[in-house]
Amino acid sequence: MLLIHCPYCGESRSELEFRWAGEAHIARPENIAEISDEAFAEYFFIRDNTKGIAWERWRHIHGCGRFFNTIRDTVSDKFLLSYKAGLARQPVPGASEPVEGDAA
Ligand SMILES: [Zn+2]
């Protein structure tokens, strides 16, 4: 069973309490009514779908109900970090070099 740590509730809990909510840190364009259809499609549909280290949104749907972000290795399915929504993209714990996609 996969255990996920909710940064609001504390201890790790069963994956059955959570729902994956896609890639984290997708910024909504400020001028969304003015952007082209292609730019909107890029914002709305196109995701990195990373093999390896990925920043993701999750929701504690059967707990506090809140959204939060994680860093998960999509190959091993291991969660490396959970952090509260609204915080900047966090660095990979223990990584001495920035990981691809690890923007500042
Ligand atoms: Zn929670």
Side-chain angles (χ1 to χ4, degrees):
M1 175 188 302
L2 197 59
L3 294 176
I4 301 174
H5 175 86
C6 173
Y8 300 103
C9 295
E11 66 185 78
S12 295
R13 297 165 184 261
S14 165
E15 65 184 292
L16 300 175
E17 294 187 15
F18 297 86
R19 181 168 297 156
W20 182 77
E23 187 175 326
H25 304 292
I26 303 296
R28 181 181 174 90
E30 291 182 21
N31 58 344
I32 197 161
E34 302 166 13
I35 64 175
S36 68
D37 289 349
E38 293 77 17
F40 181 81
E42 175 79 21
Y43 152 71
F44 200 75
F45 295 111
I46 305 301
R47 297 295 179 259
D48 289 343
N49 199 22
T50 304
K51 178 182 180 184
I53 303 298
W55 283 257
E56 300 176 320
R57 286 184 89 202
W58 284 79
R59 187 173 184 201
H60 195 180
I61 194 82
H62 296 295
C64 64
R66 300 178 83 172
F67 285 94
F68 59 95
N69 296 324
T70 67
I71 302 174
R72 182 173 66 97
D73 184 334
T74 60
V75 175
S76 67
D77 220 12
K78 182 176 181 181
F79 284 84
L80 305 175
L81 181 69
S82 296
Y83 54 100
K84 293 180 178 179
L87 293 177
R89 179 186 283 218
Q90 301 294 298
V92 176
S96 57
E97 299 285 326
V99 175
E100 185 177 336
D102 185 8

